[in-house]
Amino acid sequence: MKKIAVGVIGVGHLGKFHAAKYAAMPEAELVGVVDLDPAQAARVARECGTRPFGDYRELLGQVEAVSVVVPTVHHYQVARDCLEQGVDIMLEKPMTTTLEEADRLIALAEAGGRILQVGHIERYNPAVVALEGLLTRPLFIESHRIHMFKPRGLDVDVVLDLMIHDIDIILSIVDSPISSIHTVGVPVVTPITDIANARIIFENGCTANITVSRISKDNIRRLRIFQPKSYISVDYGKKSLMMIRLKDELNQLGLPQEEIVTVALPEQDALEAELRDFIASVRERTTPKVSGVQGRMALAVAQEIMQQIKDNFSKYRDLIQPPRA
């Protein structure tokens, strides 16, 4: 089997893991890694047995596919250049800073027959994968993504940093247009939103309540789904799933008996699964699990939530921060 020539553009905190996964894949050849920091590029290249580059354009003529793991503000320019050079891309989330940029990338990929995958890694969490065979008609979804404070990535709103994962998963679960969104969010440690809640109501009647925070003392990543005659609980961090189903038989109180359904989940590295899916899509020219169109859908909802939070905060800012005399 011919190996897919691949590279990684941006080998900081996350990109270095992309490089390591590609280097270990029998079906891929890691041609090079790119970073503006020459020392970091050299370090990761040495660890992965490949070559360092300072300019991603030097790499494009030598690869078939790349992971783009640069800061979000640079996603559009780097991804556009890659697509224009006929290179397939795995673009980390959020795919772009604006919907206009996302639309242009999707159009470029379609016009050139290129693969455009967006890095929503939670879709490859084995507990999320196992959901596919258990869902019937979700009526209420509750999601909590609570993280301990970290100084990294504070230039990005918590909605784009954390909530967009849950938005993407919920959109993949609920097959219905959105009727309305109600939000609240506030900055606590940084000048931008650190805690946020969004209540999304779909036209089919399903409601999703999403809460995110990046200033907690604990890490909690959980999803709960309520549907007719069953309840499903997913722990993203533990990669576990529990389902309680109501049986037709009644107990002594005349209520339906409960059955706890356990689902055996395989040990799976979500990032490795995500990148293997990308390489398979490149080889077979198939649509990846999270396409550019799906990444754009999640971004659109995230942008609406951020705008609502901004508008709402402007109304009560003076109550929180009274104007100086």
Side-chain angles (χ1 to χ4, degrees), residues 252-288:
Q252 295 178 343
L253 298 176
L255 300 174
Q257 294 188 32
E258 294 182 352
E259 175 189 17
I260 298 178
V261 179
T262 57
V263 180
L265 303 179
E267 286 291 331
Q268 178 172 290
D269 182 310
L271 179 58
E272 181 179 343
E274 179 181 54
L275 298 183
R276 284 188 180 279
D277 184 36
F278 175 55
I279 293 298
S281 296
V282 172
R283 181 183 302 282
E284 300 163 15
R285 312 314 298 169
T286 53
T287 303

PDB file of all heavy atoms in Angstrom, residues 252-288:
ATOM      1  N   GLN A 252     -43.663  -3.660  41.532  1.00  0.00           N
ATOM      2  CA  GLN A 252     -44.746  -3.771  42.505  1.00  0.00           C
ATOM      3  C   GLN A 252     -45.541  -2.482  42.653  1.00  0.00           C
ATOM      4  O   GLN A 252     -46.687  -2.494  43.104  1.00  0.00           O
ATOM      5  CB  GLN A 252     -44.165  -4.179  43.865  1.00  0.00           C
ATOM      6  CG  GLN A 252     -43.551  -5.575  43.848  1.00  0.00           C
ATOM      7  CD  GLN A 252     -42.941  -5.931  45.196  1.00  0.00           C
ATOM      8  OE1 GLN A 252     -42.704  -5.062  46.026  1.00  0.00           O
ATOM      9  NE2 GLN A 252     -42.695  -7.229  45.405  1.00  0.00           N
ATOM     10  N   LEU A 253     -44.927  -1.341  42.287  1.00  0.00           N
ATOM     11  CA  LEU A 253     -45.626  -0.056  42.385  1.00  0.00           C
ATOM     12  C   LEU A 253     -46.380   0.281  41.108  1.00  0.00           C
ATOM     13  O   LEU A 253     -46.991   1.340  40.995  1.00  0.00           O
ATOM     14  CB  LEU A 253     -44.609   1.053  42.688  1.00  0.00           C
ATOM     15  CG  LEU A 253     -43.849   0.924  44.006  1.00  0.00           C
ATOM     16  CD1 LEU A 253     -42.812   2.033  44.127  1.00  0.00           C
ATOM     17  CD2 LEU A 253     -44.819   0.953  45.189  1.00  0.00           C
ATOM     18  N   GLY A 254     -46.335  -0.624  40.150  1.00  0.00           N
ATOM     19  CA  GLY A 254     -47.029  -0.394  38.896  1.00  0.00           C
ATOM     20  C   GLY A 254     -46.265   0.487  37.921  1.00  0.00           C
ATOM     21  O   GLY A 254     -46.833   0.994  36.949  1.00  0.00           O
ATOM     22  N   LEU A 255     -44.969   0.677  38.201  1.00  0.00           N
ATOM     23  CA  LEU A 255     -44.134   1.493  37.336  1.00  0.00           C
ATOM     24  C   LEU A 255     -43.248   0.598  36.473  1.00  0.00           C
ATOM     25  O   LEU A 255     -42.932  -0.542  36.857  1.00  0.00           O
ATOM     26  CB  LEU A 255     -43.255   2.422  38.182  1.00  0.00           C
ATOM     27  CG  LEU A 255     -44.000   3.414  39.088  1.00  0.00           C
ATOM     28  CD1 LEU A 255     -43.008   4.157  39.973  1.00  0.00           C
ATOM     29  CD2 LEU A 255     -44.818   4.385  38.256  1.00  0.00           C
ATOM     30  N   PRO A 256     -42.837   1.064  35.304  1.00  0.00           N
ATOM     31  CA  PRO A 256     -41.975   0.240  34.442  1.00  0.00           C
ATOM     32  C   PRO A 256     -40.665  -0.109  35.138  1.00  0.00           C
ATOM     33  O   PRO A 256     -40.069   0.732  35.843  1.00  0.00           O
ATOM     34  CB  PRO A 256     -41.731   1.141  33.227  1.00  0.00           C
ATOM     35  CG  PRO A 256     -42.868   2.105  33.225  1.00  0.00           C
ATOM     36  CD  PRO A 256     -43.193   2.345  34.666  1.00  0.00           C
ATOM     37  N   GLN A 257     -40.239  -1.325  34.985  1.00  0.00           N
ATOM     38  CA  GLN A 257     -38.962  -1.753  35.559  1.00  0.00           C
ATOM     39  C   GLN A 257     -37.812  -1.155  34.754  1.00  0.00           C
ATOM     40  O   GLN A 257     -37.922  -0.961  33.549  1.00  0.00           O
ATOM     41  CB  GLN A 257     -38.864  -3.277  35.557  1.00  0.00           C
ATOM     42  CG  GLN A 257     -39.865  -3.952  36.474  1.00  0.00           C
ATOM     43  CD  GLN A 257     -39.611  -5.442  36.587  1.00  0.00           C
ATOM     44  OE1 GLN A 257     -38.475  -5.891  36.505  1.00  0.00           O
ATOM     45  NE2 GLN A 257     -40.676  -6.216  36.774  1.00  0.00           N
ATOM     46  N   GLU A 258     -36.715  -0.889  35.454  1.00  0.00           N
ATOM     47  CA  GLU A 258     -35.534  -0.314  34.807  1.00  0.00           C
ATOM     48  C   GLU A 258     -34.525  -1.404  34.466  1.00  0.00           C
ATOM     49  O   GLU A 258     -34.358  -2.375  35.207  1.00  0.00           O
ATOM     50  CB  GLU A 258     -34.868   0.717  35.720  1.00  0.00           C
ATOM     51  CG  GLU A 258     -35.698   1.952  35.977  1.00  0.00           C
ATOM     52  CD  GLU A 258     -34.967   2.954  36.846  1.00  0.00           C
ATOM     53  OE1 GLU A 258     -33.880   2.617  37.366  1.00  0.00           O
ATOM     54  OE2 GLU A 258     -35.469   4.092  36.998  1.00  0.00           O
ATOM     55  N   GLU A 259     -33.886  -1.228  33.353  1.00  0.00           N
ATOM     56  CA  GLU A 259     -32.813  -2.137  32.927  1.00  0.00           C
ATOM     57  C   GLU A 259     -31.573  -1.306  32.630  1.00  0.00           C
ATOM     58  O   GLU A 259     -31.616  -0.373  31.832  1.00  0.00           O
ATOM     59  CB  GLU A 259     -33.230  -2.905  31.672  1.00  0.00           C
ATOM     60  CG  GLU A 259     -32.124  -3.780  31.098  1.00  0.00           C
ATOM     61  CD  GLU A 259     -32.496  -4.359  29.736  1.00  0.00           C
ATOM     62  OE1 GLU A 259     -33.441  -3.833  29.103  1.00  0.00           O
ATOM     63  OE2 GLU A 259     -31.826  -5.310  29.309  1.00  0.00           O
ATOM     64  N   ILE A 260     -30.481  -1.617  33.291  1.00  0.00           N
ATOM     65  CA  ILE A 260     -29.226  -0.925  33.032  1.00  0.00           C
ATOM     66  C   ILE A 260     -28.486  -1.654  31.911  1.00  0.00           C
ATOM     67  O   ILE A 260     -28.192  -2.848  32.023  1.00  0.00           O
ATOM     68  CB  ILE A 260     -28.348  -0.853  34.292  1.00  0.00           C
ATOM     69  CG1 ILE A 260     -29.058  -0.056  35.383  1.00  0.00           C
ATOM     70  CG2 ILE A 260     -27.001  -0.214  33.973  1.00  0.00           C
ATOM     71  CD1 ILE A 260     -28.290   0.043  36.681  1.00  0.00           C
ATOM     72  N   VAL A 261     -28.237  -0.941  30.838  1.00  0.00           N
ATOM     73  CA  VAL A 261     -27.566  -1.521  29.674  1.00  0.00           C
ATOM     74  C   VAL A 261     -26.096  -1.089  29.689  1.00  0.00           C
ATOM     75  O   VAL A 261     -25.803   0.108  29.699  1.00  0.00           O
ATOM     76  CB  VAL A 261     -28.229  -1.052  28.363  1.00  0.00           C
ATOM     77  CG1 VAL A 261     -27.512  -1.654  27.161  1.00  0.00           C
ATOM     78  CG2 VAL A 261     -29.702  -1.419  28.358  1.00  0.00           C
ATOM     79  N   THR A 262     -25.215  -2.034  29.725  1.00  0.00           N
ATOM     80  CA  THR A 262     -23.789  -1.709  29.680  1.00  0.00           C
ATOM     81  C   THR A 262     -23.275  -1.948  28.268  1.00  0.00           C
ATOM     82  O   THR A 262     -23.622  -2.941  27.624  1.00  0.00           O
ATOM     83  CB  THR A 262     -22.989  -2.573  30.669  1.00  0.00           C
ATOM     84  OG1 THR A 262     -23.218  -3.963  30.372  1.00  0.00           O
ATOM     85  CG2 THR A 262     -23.417  -2.297  32.096  1.00  0.00           C
ATOM     86  N   VAL A 263     -22.475  -1.024  27.802  1.00  0.00           N
ATOM     87  CA  VAL A 263     -21.929  -1.111  26.447  1.00  0.00           C
ATOM     88  C   VAL A 263     -20.416  -1.234  26.545  1.00  0.00           C
ATOM     89  O   VAL A 263     -19.755  -0.384  27.155  1.00  0.00           O
ATOM     90  CB  VAL A 263     -22.303   0.137  25.619  1.00  0.00           C
ATOM     91  CG1 VAL A 263     -21.730   0.036  24.211  1.00  0.00           C
ATOM     92  CG2 VAL A 263     -23.810   0.312  25.584  1.00  0.00           C
ATOM     93  N   ALA A 264     -19.888  -2.306  25.982  1.00  0.00           N
ATOM     94  CA  ALA A 264     -18.442  -2.505  26.006  1.00  0.00           C
ATOM     95  C   ALA A 264     -17.792  -1.556  25.003  1.00  0.00           C
ATOM     96  O   ALA A 264     -18.083  -1.605  23.811  1.00  0.00           O
ATOM     97  CB  ALA A 264     -18.102  -3.954  25.661  1.00  0.00           C
ATOM     98  N   LEU A 265     -16.951  -0.677  25.500  1.00  0.00           N
ATOM     99  CA  LEU A 265     -16.294   0.301  24.641  1.00  0.00           C
ATOM    100  C   LEU A 265     -14.841  -0.087  24.406  1.00  0.00           C
ATOM    101  O   LEU A 265     -14.131  -0.420  25.357  1.00  0.00           O
ATOM    102  CB  LEU A 265     -16.351   1.695  25.277  1.00  0.00           C
ATOM    103  CG  LEU A 265     -17.756   2.223  25.597  1.00  0.00           C
ATOM    104  CD1 LEU A 265     -17.649   3.600  26.241  1.00  0.00           C
ATOM    105  CD2 LEU A 265     -18.597   2.294  24.350  1.00  0.00           C
ATOM    106  N   PRO A 266     -14.396  -0.047  23.171  1.00  0.00           N
ATOM    107  CA  PRO A 266     -13.001  -0.397  22.883  1.00  0.00           C
ATOM    108  C   PRO A 266     -12.046   0.683  23.371  1.00  0.00           C
ATOM    109  O   PRO A 266     -12.414   1.860  23.450  1.00  0.00           O
ATOM    110  CB  PRO A 266     -12.974  -0.488  21.354  1.00  0.00           C
ATOM    111  CG  PRO A 266     -14.040   0.482  20.917  1.00  0.00           C
ATOM    112  CD  PRO A 266     -15.127   0.361  21.961  1.00  0.00           C
ATOM    113  N   GLU A 267     -10.840   0.282  23.711  1.00  0.00           N
ATOM    114  CA  GLU A 267      -9.806   1.261  24.021  1.00  0.00           C
ATOM    115  C   GLU A 267      -9.431   1.954  22.711  1.00  0.00           C
ATOM    116  O   GLU A 267      -9.033   1.310  21.752  1.00  0.00           O
ATOM    117  CB  GLU A 267      -8.581   0.566  24.626  1.00  0.00           C
ATOM    118  CG  GLU A 267      -8.773   0.107  26.053  1.00  0.00           C
ATOM    119  CD  GLU A 267      -8.875   1.266  27.026  1.00  0.00           C
ATOM    120  OE1 GLU A 267      -8.282   2.330  26.739  1.00  0.00           O
ATOM    121  OE2 GLU A 267      -9.558   1.117  28.053  1.00  0.00           O
ATOM    122  N   GLN A 268      -9.578   3.246  22.681  1.00  0.00           N
ATOM    123  CA  GLN A 268      -9.321   3.960  21.425  1.00  0.00           C
ATOM    124  C   GLN A 268      -8.767   5.349  21.694  1.00  0.00           C
ATOM    125  O   GLN A 268      -9.307   6.088  22.509  1.00  0.00           O
ATOM    126  CB  GLN A 268     -10.622   4.079  20.624  1.00  0.00           C
ATOM    127  CG  GLN A 268     -10.487   4.858  19.324  1.00  0.00           C
ATOM    128  CD  GLN A 268     -11.742   4.790  18.478  1.00  0.00           C
ATOM    129  OE1 GLN A 268     -12.070   3.741  17.938  1.00  0.00           O
ATOM    130  NE2 GLN A 268     -12.448   5.894  18.353  1.00  0.00           N
ATOM    131  N   ASP A 269      -7.677   5.663  21.019  1.00  0.00           N
ATOM    132  CA  ASP A 269      -7.099   6.992  21.075  1.00  0.00           C
ATOM    133  C   ASP A 269      -7.877   7.862  20.084  1.00  0.00           C
ATOM    134  O   ASP A 269      -7.838   7.630  18.877  1.00  0.00           O
ATOM    135  CB  ASP A 269      -5.619   6.912  20.694  1.00  0.00           C
ATOM    136  CG  ASP A 269      -4.916   8.245  20.779  1.00  0.00           C
ATOM    137  OD1 ASP A 269      -5.433   9.228  20.227  1.00  0.00           O
ATOM    138  OD2 ASP A 269      -3.831   8.310  21.389  1.00  0.00           O
ATOM    139  N   ALA A 270      -8.604   8.863  20.606  1.00  0.00           N
ATOM    140  CA  ALA A 270      -9.483   9.663  19.755  1.00  0.00           C
ATOM    141  C   ALA A 270      -8.708  10.405  18.671  1.00  0.00           C
ATOM    142  O   ALA A 270      -9.155  10.491  17.525  1.00  0.00           O
ATOM    143  CB  ALA A 270     -10.287  10.637  20.603  1.00  0.00           C
ATOM    144  N   LEU A 271      -7.551  10.971  19.007  1.00  0.00           N
ATOM    145  CA  LEU A 271      -6.769  11.706  18.012  1.00  0.00           C
ATOM    146  C   LEU A 271      -6.256  10.770  16.928  1.00  0.00           C
ATOM    147  O   LEU A 271      -6.318  11.093  15.734  1.00  0.00           O
ATOM    148  CB  LEU A 271      -5.600  12.429  18.675  1.00  0.00           C
ATOM    149  CG  LEU A 271      -4.687  13.220  17.725  1.00  0.00           C
ATOM    150  CD1 LEU A 271      -5.475  14.272  16.942  1.00  0.00           C
ATOM    151  CD2 LEU A 271      -3.533  13.870  18.488  1.00  0.00           C
ATOM    152  N   GLU A 272      -5.784   9.604  17.335  1.00  0.00           N
ATOM    153  CA  GLU A 272      -5.316   8.638  16.336  1.00  0.00           C
ATOM    154  C   GLU A 272      -6.457   8.216  15.411  1.00  0.00           C
ATOM    155  O   GLU A 272      -6.281   8.126  14.186  1.00  0.00           O
ATOM    156  CB  GLU A 272      -4.729   7.411  17.029  1.00  0.00           C
ATOM    157  CG  GLU A 272      -4.202   6.365  16.053  1.00  0.00           C
ATOM    158  CD  GLU A 272      -3.602   5.159  16.747  1.00  0.00           C
ATOM    159  OE1 GLU A 272      -3.292   5.252  17.946  1.00  0.00           O
ATOM    160  OE2 GLU A 272      -3.447   4.115  16.076  1.00  0.00           O
ATOM    161  N   ALA A 273      -7.644   7.978  15.990  1.00  0.00           N
ATOM    162  CA  ALA A 273      -8.797   7.591  15.172  1.00  0.00           C
ATOM    163  C   ALA A 273      -9.179   8.698  14.210  1.00  0.00           C
ATOM    164  O   ALA A 273      -9.526   8.450  13.042  1.00  0.00           O
ATOM    165  CB  ALA A 273      -9.977   7.241  16.082  1.00  0.00           C
ATOM    166  N   GLU A 274      -9.126   9.938  14.684  1.00  0.00           N
ATOM    167  CA  GLU A 274      -9.461  11.088  13.845  1.00  0.00           C
ATOM    168  C   GLU A 274      -8.494  11.201  12.665  1.00  0.00           C
ATOM    169  O   GLU A 274      -8.912  11.405  11.509  1.00  0.00           O
ATOM    170  CB  GLU A 274      -9.408  12.353  14.687  1.00  0.00           C
ATOM    171  CG  GLU A 274      -9.704  13.633  13.918  1.00  0.00           C
ATOM    172  CD  GLU A 274      -9.606  14.853  14.817  1.00  0.00           C
ATOM    173  OE1 GLU A 274      -8.560  15.043  15.474  1.00  0.00           O
ATOM    174  OE2 GLU A 274     -10.586  15.617  14.864  1.00  0.00           O
ATOM    175  N   LEU A 275      -7.203  11.061  12.934  1.00  0.00           N
ATOM    176  CA  LEU A 275      -6.209  11.203  11.866  1.00  0.00           C
ATOM    177  C   LEU A 275      -6.223  10.004  10.923  1.00  0.00           C
ATOM    178  O   LEU A 275      -5.958  10.153   9.723  1.00  0.00           O
ATOM    179  CB  LEU A 275      -4.817  11.404  12.473  1.00  0.00           C
ATOM    180  CG  LEU A 275      -4.665  12.677  13.323  1.00  0.00           C
ATOM    181  CD1 LEU A 275      -3.225  12.812  13.826  1.00  0.00           C
ATOM    182  CD2 LEU A 275      -5.078  13.911  12.544  1.00  0.00           C
ATOM    183  N   ARG A 276      -6.537   8.831  11.443  1.00  0.00           N
ATOM    184  CA  ARG A 276      -6.679   7.663  10.555  1.00  0.00           C
ATOM    185  C   ARG A 276      -7.878   7.850   9.620  1.00  0.00           C
ATOM    186  O   ARG A 276      -7.830   7.452   8.455  1.00  0.00           O
ATOM    187  CB  ARG A 276      -6.840   6.383  11.377  1.00  0.00           C
ATOM    188  CG  ARG A 276      -5.544   5.888  12.001  1.00  0.00           C
ATOM    189  CD  ARG A 276      -5.724   4.522  12.648  1.00  0.00           C
ATOM    190  NE  ARG A 276      -4.492   4.048  13.233  1.00  0.00           N
ATOM    191  CZ  ARG A 276      -3.504   3.459  12.558  1.00  0.00           C
ATOM    192  NH1 ARG A 276      -3.632   3.274  11.251  1.00  0.00           N
ATOM    193  NH2 ARG A 276      -2.414   3.061  13.177  1.00  0.00           N
ATOM    194  N   ASP A 277      -8.943   8.428  10.134  1.00  0.00           N
ATOM    195  CA  ASP A 277     -10.107   8.714   9.297  1.00  0.00           C
ATOM    196  C   ASP A 277      -9.722   9.695   8.194  1.00  0.00           C
ATOM    197  O   ASP A 277     -10.149   9.550   7.040  1.00  0.00           O
ATOM    198  CB  ASP A 277     -11.228   9.282  10.160  1.00  0.00           C
ATOM    199  CG  ASP A 277     -12.515   9.515   9.390  1.00  0.00           C
ATOM    200  OD1 ASP A 277     -12.834   8.707   8.493  1.00  0.00           O
ATOM    201  OD2 ASP A 277     -13.209  10.512   9.674  1.00  0.00           O
ATOM    202  N   PHE A 278      -8.928  10.689   8.554  1.00  0.00           N
ATOM    203  CA  PHE A 278      -8.469  11.667   7.565  1.00  0.00           C
ATOM    204  C   PHE A 278      -7.628  10.998   6.483  1.00  0.00           C
ATOM    205  O   PHE A 278      -7.869  11.195   5.280  1.00  0.00           O
ATOM    206  CB  PHE A 278      -7.658  12.754   8.265  1.00  0.00           C
ATOM    207  CG  PHE A 278      -7.023  13.749   7.329  1.00  0.00           C
ATOM    208  CD1 PHE A 278      -7.783  14.461   6.410  1.00  0.00           C
ATOM    209  CD2 PHE A 278      -5.648  13.975   7.378  1.00  0.00           C
ATOM    210  CE1 PHE A 278      -7.190  15.384   5.549  1.00  0.00           C
ATOM    211  CE2 PHE A 278      -5.057  14.895   6.527  1.00  0.00           C
ATOM    212  CZ  PHE A 278      -5.819  15.596   5.610  1.00  0.00           C
ATOM    213  N   ILE A 279      -6.663  10.196   6.886  1.00  0.00           N
ATOM    214  CA  ILE A 279      -5.798   9.512   5.914  1.00  0.00           C
ATOM    215  C   ILE A 279      -6.621   8.575   5.027  1.00  0.00           C
ATOM    216  O   ILE A 279      -6.402   8.488   3.811  1.00  0.00           O
ATOM    217  CB  ILE A 279      -4.675   8.734   6.630  1.00  0.00           C
ATOM    218  CG1 ILE A 279      -3.706   9.707   7.316  1.00  0.00           C
ATOM    219  CG2 ILE A 279      -3.917   7.845   5.654  1.00  0.00           C
ATOM    220  CD1 ILE A 279      -2.984  10.647   6.383  1.00  0.00           C
ATOM    221  N   ALA A 280      -7.604   7.881   5.618  1.00  0.00           N
ATOM    222  CA  ALA A 280      -8.469   6.998   4.831  1.00  0.00           C
ATOM    223  C   ALA A 280      -9.282   7.798   3.823  1.00  0.00           C
ATOM    224  O   ALA A 280      -9.467   7.370   2.670  1.00  0.00           O
ATOM    225  CB  ALA A 280      -9.398   6.208   5.757  1.00  0.00           C
ATOM    226  N   SER A 281      -9.764   8.973   4.220  1.00  0.00           N
ATOM    227  CA  SER A 281     -10.527   9.824   3.299  1.00  0.00           C
ATOM    228  C   SER A 281      -9.653  10.313   2.159  1.00  0.00           C
ATOM    229  O   SER A 281     -10.096  10.394   1.007  1.00  0.00           O
ATOM    230  CB  SER A 281     -11.109  11.028   4.063  1.00  0.00           C
ATOM    231  OG  SER A 281     -12.039  10.617   5.033  1.00  0.00           O
ATOM    232  N   VAL A 282      -8.401  10.641   2.476  1.00  0.00           N
ATOM    233  CA  VAL A 282      -7.453  11.077   1.442  1.00  0.00           C
ATOM    234  C   VAL A 282      -7.201   9.946   0.458  1.00  0.00           C
ATOM    235  O   VAL A 282      -7.209  10.154  -0.768  1.00  0.00           O
ATOM    236  CB  VAL A 282      -6.136  11.544   2.089  1.00  0.00           C
ATOM    237  CG1 VAL A 282      -5.076  11.802   1.024  1.00  0.00           C
ATOM    238  CG2 VAL A 282      -6.368  12.808   2.920  1.00  0.00           C
ATOM    239  N   ARG A 283      -7.006   8.751   0.956  1.00  0.00           N
ATOM    240  CA  ARG A 283      -6.701   7.609   0.085  1.00  0.00           C
ATOM    241  C   ARG A 283      -7.904   7.205  -0.756  1.00  0.00           C
ATOM    242  O   ARG A 283      -7.785   6.953  -1.960  1.00  0.00           O
ATOM    243  CB  ARG A 283      -6.244   6.423   0.940  1.00  0.00           C
ATOM    244  CG  ARG A 283      -5.880   5.180   0.122  1.00  0.00           C
ATOM    245  CD  ARG A 283      -5.497   4.020   1.012  1.00  0.00           C
ATOM    246  NE  ARG A 283      -4.382   4.357   1.881  1.00  0.00           N
ATOM    247  CZ  ARG A 283      -3.108   4.396   1.495  1.00  0.00           C
ATOM    248  NH1 ARG A 283      -2.801   4.131   0.228  1.00  0.00           N
ATOM    249  NH2 ARG A 283      -2.152   4.708   2.334  1.00  0.00           N
ATOM    250  N   GLU A 284      -9.080   7.144  -0.129  1.00  0.00           N
ATOM    251  CA  GLU A 284     -10.266   6.618  -0.793  1.00  0.00           C
ATOM    252  C   GLU A 284     -11.151   7.705  -1.402  1.00  0.00           C
ATOM    253  O   GLU A 284     -12.147   7.394  -2.058  1.00  0.00           O
ATOM    254  CB  GLU A 284     -11.075   5.787   0.211  1.00  0.00           C
ATOM    255  CG  GLU A 284     -10.288   4.601   0.773  1.00  0.00           C
ATOM    256  CD  GLU A 284     -10.916   4.029   2.031  1.00  0.00           C
ATOM    257  OE1 GLU A 284     -12.097   4.355   2.298  1.00  0.00           O
ATOM    258  OE2 GLU A 284     -10.234   3.259   2.744  1.00  0.00           O
ATOM    259  N   ARG A 285     -10.792   8.988  -1.163  1.00  0.00           N
ATOM    260  CA  ARG A 285     -11.564  10.134  -1.677  1.00  0.00           C
ATOM    261  C   ARG A 285     -13.007  10.085  -1.190  1.00  0.00           C
ATOM    262  O   ARG A 285     -13.967  10.247  -1.950  1.00  0.00           O
ATOM    263  CB  ARG A 285     -11.522  10.206  -3.203  1.00  0.00           C
ATOM    264  CG  ARG A 285     -10.158  10.079  -3.839  1.00  0.00           C
ATOM    265  CD  ARG A 285      -9.095  10.920  -3.178  1.00  0.00           C
ATOM    266  NE  ARG A 285      -9.364  12.346  -3.233  1.00  0.00           N
ATOM    267  CZ  ARG A 285      -8.669  13.253  -2.529  1.00  0.00           C
ATOM    268  NH1 ARG A 285      -7.718  12.863  -1.694  1.00  0.00           N
ATOM    269  NH2 ARG A 285      -8.963  14.537  -2.635  1.00  0.00           N
ATOM    270  N   THR A 286     -13.154   9.834   0.103  1.00  0.00           N
ATOM    271  CA  THR A 286     -14.471   9.775   0.722  1.00  0.00           C
ATOM    272  C   THR A 286     -14.643  10.945   1.693  1.00  0.00           C
ATOM    273  O   THR A 286     -13.670  11.551   2.133  1.00  0.00           O
ATOM    274  CB  THR A 286     -14.667   8.453   1.490  1.00  0.00           C
ATOM    275  OG1 THR A 286     -13.580   8.277   2.413  1.00  0.00           O
ATOM    276  CG2 THR A 286     -14.697   7.276   0.527  1.00  0.00           C
ATOM    277  N   THR A 287     -15.889  11.239   2.043  1.00  0.00           N
ATOM    278  CA  THR A 287     -16.172  12.328   2.969  1.00  0.00           C
ATOM    279  C   THR A 287     -15.824  11.908   4.395  1.00  0.00           C
ATOM    280  O   THR A 287     -16.272  10.857   4.853  1.00  0.00           O
ATOM    281  CB  THR A 287     -17.660  12.714   2.909  1.00  0.00           C
ATOM    282  OG1 THR A 287     -18.003  13.072   1.570  1.00  0.00           O
ATOM    283  CG2 THR A 287     -17.955  13.888   3.833  1.00  0.00           C
ATOM    284  N   PRO A 288     -15.051  12.705   5.112  1.00  0.00           N
ATOM    285  CA  PRO A 288     -14.703  12.354   6.502  1.00  0.00           C
ATOM    286  C   PRO A 288     -15.899  12.495   7.423  1.00  0.00           C
ATOM    287  O   PRO A 288     -16.930  13.071   7.050  1.00  0.00           O
ATOM    288  CB  PRO A 288     -13.601  13.366   6.859  1.00  0.00           C
ATOM    289  CG  PRO A 288     -13.869  14.532   5.963  1.00  0.00           C
ATOM    290  CD  PRO A 288     -14.408  13.958   4.681  1.00  0.00           C
TER     291      PRO A 288
END
